[in-house]
Amino acid sequence: MDITERFLNYTKFDTQSDEDSLTVPSTAKQLVFAEYLKKELEREGLDDVEMDDKGYIYATLKANTKDDVPTIGFISHYDTSPDCPGTDIKPRIVAHYDGGDITLREGIVMTTEKNPELLQHVGEDLIVTDGTTLLGADDKAGIAEIVQAMVYLQEHKDIKHGKIRVAFNPDEETGRGASHFDIERFDCEWAYTMDGGDVGELEFENFNAASAKISIKGVSVHPGYAKGKMVNANALAVEFARMLPDDQTPETTEGYQGFYHLQGITSDTGQARMSYLIRDFDRNHFEERKRFIQKCAEQMNDKYGEGTVECVVSDQYYNMKEKIDPQMHVIDLVLKAMQETGVAPRVNPIRGGTDGAQLSYRGLPCPNIFAGGINFHGPFEFVPVQSMEKAMQVIVKICELVGKYNG
């Protein structure tokens, strides 16, 4: 099985996670794919394949060298984002992309004007959606690359490598993917998540992240007799949203700029619920943002009465940079692997997060390497086959370099 077929098989599974769920994994359908993946690892000859009761999968490619080299790992998540439909995905391969707009289906066109990234992949084979769902390259492309690399290493025994651990987990898109990851069981000196974007991306800086859940209590009264009685939770939600700066949203920021993101809102006259993401690279600014959104809730309560607005802020993950900086050999190996496989490195901050951020804070240094997908979490998501192949080659080369590693 080649990497394309492997990835296309993965897209058949609906694995969307649910940030409002309290179960682990957050959706039962993730376990259906996890069982499939576990059996695939066994078929492909990996050892110590196991899946725990929460859907975390661990496996080993045994060392083929007697040298004392570090045990390293590769990690990807199998859930897909709840931000866009993920059921009944219909992937299609645009062979030898010619550089023009791509009609995904009647009335839905992916244009180069709005998606200039397309032009970086002229002549390549692009896997696209039909414009009604996401694709799931985030992060099933990463899984396909890791599995394919392990198969390649077994088929090319001349490449000497140490013990390699792989792991696949649920619920990364909810920010809880690493929460139940068993680092002791994984037993690596360091690892890499294959969860980045376009070719060459290497990331070891990420947002500090928190969520804010806003609950607003209104008073519902017949509108014809509402004077002096109604408190319209819809209007209060709008008022709350306007208290946050217009120029600090995802659509107005880039680079190292942080933001507040209104991720979801449900409301009627009697009550409203708002879900915000809070992001910033700088830890001090991050703490200031959390205090500010709570202050907004306090001001609303001062105006409309105590208990009208409740704001619950919960940290999700932190910037991994401070944990990676003391161990830059982990990064140097990737840069060398990219150089030797003809990939130009693009070291950028992650305007988001990966499971590697939490894992790094828990003692497992875990930077993020490109998986090749572009336009994640939306119907214009695509992944070039050649990008997945390059990512697979980088994994293989890292394993080879670590097999020669002398610290």
Side-chain angles (χ1 to χ4, degrees):
M1 183 185 300
D2 66 13
I3 198 168
T4 303
E5 182 181 359
R6 198 178 299 279
F7 172 72
L8 292 175
N9 281 345
Y10 296 166
T11 65
K12 297 175 184 177
F13 294 86
D14 178 2
T15 58
Q16 282 187 297
S17 47
D18 179 1
E19 69 171 354
D20 294 323
S21 171
L22 298 179
T23 64
V24 182
S26 63
T27 54
K29 57 190 175 182
Q30 291 183 70
L31 291 175
V32 177
F33 179 59
E35 290 284 359
Y36 171 88
L37 191 55
K38 176 178 180 289
K39 292 176 182 177
E40 182 176 75
L41 294 174
E42 292 169 341
R43 288 196 305 270
E44 295 295 4
L46 274 76
D47 293 291
D48 308 322
V49 181
E50 53 185 339
M51 184 175 78
D52 67 19
D53 61 345
K54 295 179 173 60
Y56 288 70
I57 302 169
Y58 307 92
T60 300
L61 181 65
K62 290 184 177 179
N64 66 356
T65 177
K66 295 182 180 180
D67 293 340
D68 184 17
V69 298
T71 297
I72 65 167
F74 295 91
I75 303 167
S76 288
H77 65 91
Y78 54 74
D79 67 312
T80 56
S81 171
D83 293 344
C84 180
T87 303
D88 194 22
I89 296 171
K90 296 181 175 65
R92 174 169 65 93
I93 299 177
V94 180
H96 308 296
Y97 169 61
D98 63 6
D101 296 345
I102 300 175
T103 299
L104 301 179
R105 64 180 296 166
E106 186 176 355
I108 302 179
V109 179
M110 181 159 53
T111 67
T112 58
E113 179 182 1
K114 293 185 176 180
N115 302 275
E117 303 89 354
L118 284 167
L119 300 177
Q120 303 299 315
H121 298 280
V122 173
E124 299 179 5
D125 304 314
L126 312 185
I127 304 177
V128 301
T129 75
D130 70 348
T132 63
T133 68
L134 47 68
L135 179 63
D138 180 13
D139 191 24
K140 290 172 182 170
I143 297 174
E145 292 151 8
I146 293 170
V147 176
Q148 202 70 29
M150 298 304 104
V151 171
Y152 185 93
L153 287 169
Q154 290 181 92
E155 293 174 346
H156 296 77
K157 299 188 184 302
D158 56 307
I159 300 175
K160 299 303 178 183
H161 59 81
K163 181 179 177 181
I164 302 164
R165 293 282 279 160
V166 301
F168 306 121
N169 60 269
D171 291 335
E172 188 270 354
E173 299 294 356
T174 69
R176 301 193 295 268
S179 299
H180 300 278
F181 193 102
D182 192 332
I183 291 178
E184 184 175 345
R185 175 187 288 186
F186 197 45
D187 193 24
C188 292
E189 294 193 31
W190 70 85
Y192 302 98
T193 50
M194 301 299 298
D195 192 21
D198 210 346
V199 171
E201 286 189 4
L202 171 60
E203 300 156 327
F204 57 96
E205 294 182 75
N206 60 277
F207 277 137
N208 296 291
S211 66
K213 303 294 184 183
I214 313 299
S215 300
I216 300 175
K217 295 179 181 178
V219 177
S220 181
V221 180
H222 188 291
Y225 306 93
K227 185 174 181 180
K229 300 176 182 178
M230 178 184 287
V231 178
N232 192 331
N234 296 300
L236 267 59
V238 172
E239 182 176 344
F240 186 92
R242 287 177 173 169
M243 295 176 75
L244 300 177
D246 292 338
D247 61 349
Q248 296 180 34
T249 63
E251 59 268 36
T252 61
T253 54
E254 61 183 353
Y256 284 93
Q257 296 172 320
F259 58 72
Y260 303 93
H261 173 43
L262 178 55
Q263 189 178 33
I265 180 170
T266 59
S267 70
D268 55 31
T269 304
Q271 62 181 358
R273 292 184 174 86
M274 308 170 76
S275 175
Y276 277 92
L277 301 181
I278 303 171
R279 301 291 188 263
D280 208 296
F281 286 95
D282 183 274
R283 187 63 176 266
N284 290 330
H285 293 167
F286 174 63
E287 298 298 332
E288 290 171 4
R289 288 186 183 279
K290 292 191 294 181
R291 287 192 292 269
F292 179 76
I293 201 167
Q294 289 170 323
K295 184 67 175 177
C296 290
E298 292 169 6
Q299 291 175 357
M300 293 283 286
N301 284 327
D302 289 342
K303 183 176 181 180
Y304 294 104
E306 191 64 34
T308 301
V309 179
E310 180 183 1
C311 176
V312 178
V313 176
S314 302
D315 286 1
Q316 295 172 309
Y317 51 83
Y318 305 109
N319 191 340
M320 74 171 88
K321 186 176 187 296
E322 65 181 78
K323 301 298 182 180
I324 300 296
D325 277 350
Q327 304 192 62
M328 284 301 291
H329 63 278
V330 174
I331 301 300
D332 294 338
L333 282 163
V334 183
L335 295 173
K336 184 172 177 59
M338 288 186 179
Q339 179 184 14
E340 294 191 12
T341 53
V343 173
R346 298 163 54 196
V347 180
N348 296 313
I350 310 172
R351 287 185 59 80
T354 72
D355 290 326
Q358 292 186 52
L359 294 174
S360 294
Y361 264 84
R362 290 175 55 197
L364 178 67
C366 197
N368 192 42
I369 300 173
F370 71 93
I374 299 167
N375 291 344
F376 290 156
H377 299 191
F380 296 128
E381 183 182 4
F382 70 95
V383 62
V385 171
Q386 288 78 4
S387 296
M388 290 195 293
E389 291 173 341
K390 275 295 182 186
M392 185 272 287
Q393 292 167 15
V394 169
I395 294 171
V396 169
K397 182 57 68 172
I398 291 171
C399 295
E400 181 181 359
L401 291 173
V402 174
K404 303 173 183 177
Y405 185 71
N406 59 14

